[in-house]
Amino acid sequence: MKKLFIKTYGCQMNVYDSDRMSDALAASGYEATTEINDADLVVLNTCHIREKAAEKVYSELGRLRILRKSQEAKGKKMMIGIAGCVAQAEGEEIMRRAPVVDLVFGPQSYHKLPELVGRAANEKVVETDFPAEDKFEHLPKAKRETTIARGLTSFLTVQEGCDKFCSFCVVPYTRGAEVSRPIAQVVAEAQNLVDGGVKEITLLGQNVNAYHGLDEMGNSKGLADLIYRLADIKGLDRLRYTTSHPRDMDDALIEAHRDLDMLMPYLHLPVQAGSDKILKSMNRQHTAKEYMDLIDRIRTARPDLALSGDFIVGFPGETEEDFEATMQLVKDVHYAAAYSFKYSTRPGTPGAEMDEQVPEDVKYERLQRLQELLNAQQKEFNQSCVGQTFPVLFEKKGRDEGQIVGRSPYLQPVQVDADLSLIGTIQQVSMHDTGKFSLFGKIVT
Ligand code: SAM
Ligand code: SF4
């Protein structure tokens, strides 16, 4: 067996893709390793969403150049491949900046990986076309033992790409137009995961609630329909989905949160900013009030739902007053968790061409203020869980001896002193304390 080492950057969709690459290459005799020094093939699965994320790849390539040299001195060959959104966006440019790279391939080519790796043994290969065929049709199923080794929770990509064109975002360019997988294909993959012991599936998409896959009759169905179909799979206990766009939160999905217990009461619903002027120039296609009204409707349907979001500070033209509107929106919503970023100029997006770019020190200072507020809200949310009892799916051993760790319905890690035999089960746990991000509890018999 040859050894494959994949380093994954960025979002959950890249985590899912790395597993698919590993499955595709298993057929050509590659076995995954966590030890880079053993690798015959190193793949960096990259992220292009912010400048820092993209630049990390080039620093890693500097380290890989040295490693490859020392491997060559020992008579060992090591091939280097670049996958993901940097590969898609920069293509040939990567080879120019880093001649150590043998193979560059975009997210739509993962099913062709065995052939591409074969070619790259003799020549430099760059593959960034959007092929006509459905890559998911051609990607092999994960083997049962591989699924078991990957654990009890799994990601499953149900749609890719995005047609929203937010003016700050590279996704529509790197991942292409929005494409949804047919329902039967998703159900078959979910069944395969459950057969390998998976209890919780998180459905993924750059814009997952824009899902509109075809059913067996050729009718277009929304995310709620897909969720109900998956809910019928015996042995599957929990479903989640991410990331959603406020514009695509339809009534059926909100009702699913009300009616379907296995759909976890946690929703990642990015708003990005609280000022209508900024939302408009970001091309988010909704106002702050529309977002707040939507939150009200979702919370009426499912009162215990925990919310998380994404925020960008320092988008071009953002004044102190605009930023205060973001702070106010956060205070009004009360998030359970959140991700916040300084605006990063992405070449080729409309935001990069806008006047009134905000200075770095202003972005930095605003981000500090926003994160302080978001961290306080997360702490408050975790503290509000103390004294409550809810079901926890135990996933693995904890850090300390005699401890196991699982996830609450609200996605918090929960640590409990209990026997390892409870891993893989859902237990009612009463919460008695909080750490920085996790909860501590006791199993209620
Ligand atoms: N589709 C999701 C949505 O509509 O909110 C988000 C997908 S994007 C991969 C994840 C997050 O990265 C975004 O929600 C946004 O907050 C952040 N992001 C995207 N482009 C960015 C940029 N140019 N600078 C800073 N953050 C950015
Ligand atoms: Fe990017 Fe999300 Fe906007 Fe699509 S909806 S352009 S993925 S931020």
Side-chain angles (χ1 to χ4, degrees):
M1 289 295 261
K2 287 189 234 154
K3 302 275 189 198
L4 165 69
F5 178 90
I6 306 183
K7 181 161 180 174
T8 308
Y9 299 82
C11 65
Q12 297 103 322
M13 296 197 62
N14 269 8
V15 175
Y16 173 86
D17 284 348
S18 291
D19 282 349
R20 297 291 72 71
M21 285 187 235
S22 187
D23 295 340
L25 284 167
S28 335
Y30 278 90
E31 157 182 277
T33 176
T34 52
E35 190 36 76
I36 195 164
N37 293 315
D38 294 344
D40 299 283
L41 170 61
V42 173
V43 174
L44 305 183
N45 189 8
T46 63
C47 173
H48 201 245
I49 201 84
R50 282 168 289 276
E51 191 182 358
K52 226 180 182 173
E55 281 306 315
K56 272 187 195 162
V57 177
Y58 289 104
S59 351
E60 185 63 34
L61 281 172
R63 286 188 283 274
L64 281 177
R65 192 170 52 86
I66 297 166
L67 176 64
R68 171 134 117 183
K69 244 195 176 149
S70 77
Q71 299 289 63
E72 270 167 7
K74 293 181 212 152
K76 185 169 164 47
K77 269 195 167 166
M78 191 179 92
M79 194 184 279
I80 298 174
I82 304 296
C85 293
V86 176
Q88 188 63 44
E90 298 195 359
E92 301 267 359
E93 172 66 10
I94 298 177
M95 298 280 193
R96 204 190 54 77
R97 264 184 82 174
V100 72
V101 173
D102 302 291
L103 169 63
V104 174
F105 54 107
Q108 301 312 323
S109 313
Y110 296 160
H111 58 301
K112 295 190 191 165
L113 212 42
E115 175 219 322
L116 297 176
V117 169
R119 271 173 47 207
N122 305 311
E123 56 178 345
K124 299 265 181 195
V125 175
V126 177
E127 179 86 15
T128 51
D129 291 343
F130 283 77
E133 74 271 12
D134 173 3
K135 84 173 161 190
F136 292 105
E137 285 286 349
H138 297 270
L139 279 164
K141 284 206 288 195
K143 288 190 197 136
R144 196 176 131 77
E145 59 274 22
T146 309
T147 306
I148 292 170
R150 284 177 185 156
L152 297 159
T153 61
S154 181
F155 294 128
L156 200 177
T157 292
V158 301
Q159 71 83 228
E160 275 195 293
C162 183
D163 297 335
K164 292 278 190 295
F165 289 93
C166 297
S167 57
F168 51 81
C169 186
V170 289
V171 167
Y173 311 97
T174 56
R175 292 276 175 163
E178 200 278 323
V179 179
S180 294
R181 298 177 66 186
I183 292 214
Q185 203 188 67
V186 175
V187 171
E189 188 169 328
Q191 183 67 62
N192 191 50
L193 290 170
V194 174
D195 293 344
V198 168
K199 306 263 183 207
E200 176 181 305
I201 294 179
T202 302
L203 307 178
L204 297 181
Q206 263 93 25
N207 210 339
V208 71
N209 59 344
Y211 177 85
H212 61 280
L214 296 181
D215 70 4
E216 291 80 347
M217 309 292 288
N219 299 317
S220 175
K221 296 287 179 185
L223 186 64
D225 294 299
L226 175 66
I227 285 173
Y228 274 100
R229 284 288 300 274
L230 295 168
D232 285 339
I233 296 178
K234 271 208 177 72
L236 181 63
D237 294 325
R238 290 177 159 193
L239 281 167
R240 304 179 187 272
Y241 60 92
T242 197
T243 294
S244 297
H245 191 288
R247 289 269 302 193
D248 295 312
M249 249 358 258
D250 62 12
D251 289 345
L253 196 51
I254 296 175
E255 283 159 23
H257 275 290
R258 182 191 64 201
D259 300 334
L260 195 61
D261 273 351
M262 73 183 296
L263 182 58
M264 291 294 101
Y266 179 93
L267 178 62
H268 184 63
L269 194 62
V271 64
Q272 315 294 358
S275 140
D276 286 343
K277 180 190 95 191
I278 297 297
L279 285 170
K280 190 158 192 282
S281 66
M282 283 178 164
N283 191 28
R284 290 294 288 181
Q285 300 168 35
H286 63 77
T287 61
K289 177 160 185 333
E290 281 163 345
Y291 181 80
M292 291 307 299
D293 289 347
L294 176 62
I295 300 289
D296 277 350
R297 281 169 51 220
I298 300 167
R299 282 187 164 148
T300 304
R302 181 79 204 214
D304 72 329
L305 186 123
L307 272 161
S308 80
D310 290 343
F311 296 89
I312 295 178
V313 302
F315 188 72
E318 186 188 74
T319 60
E320 182 59 25
E321 197 184 342
D322 294 319
F323 174 69
E324 277 304 331
T326 300
M327 293 289 276
Q328 190 55 51
L329 181 141
V330 171
K331 287 175 194 157
D332 292 342
V333 172
H334 288 283
Y335 287 92
Y339 303 88
S340 47
F341 315 98
K342 282 189 291 180
Y343 170 64
S344 167
T345 313
R346 305 314 289 129
T349 62
E353 307 298 317
M354 289 180 186
D355 299 332
E356 297 184 74
Q357 298 284 335
V358 175
E360 276 306 305
D361 57 336
V362 177
K363 289 187 206 172
Y364 177 81
E365 188 273 329
R366 288 182 188 161
L367 187 65
Q368 298 302 308
R369 273 193 279 160
L370 176 62
Q371 291 188 337
E372 207 173 292
L373 176 61
L374 290 167
N375 288 341
Q377 291 195 345
Q378 181 165 18
K379 202 167 162 198
E380 208 178 295
F381 176 72
N382 287 345
Q383 270 161 359
S384 75
C385 294
V386 173
Q388 292 195 51
T389 297
F390 35 70
V392 173
L393 169 60
F394 286 104
E395 290 170 34
K396 53 187 182 198
K397 279 190 196 171
R399 226 177 309 139
D400 300 335
E401 195 61 32
Q403 220 178 39
I404 57 174
V405 55
R407 293 262 175 190
S408 76
Y410 314 110
L411 213 54
Q412 301 133 304
V414 179
Q415 323 261 4
V416 161
D417 288 332
D419 198 80
L420 293 184
S421 62
L422 293 179
I423 292 174
T425 68
I426 294 181
Q427 302 290 330
Q428 289 295 326
V429 177
S430 144
M431 306 301 155
H432 58 69
D433 204 0
T434 62
K436 197 160 179 222
F437 299 110
S438 53
L439 295 171
F440 297 92
K442 208 174 167 137
I443 293 176
V444 183
T445 46

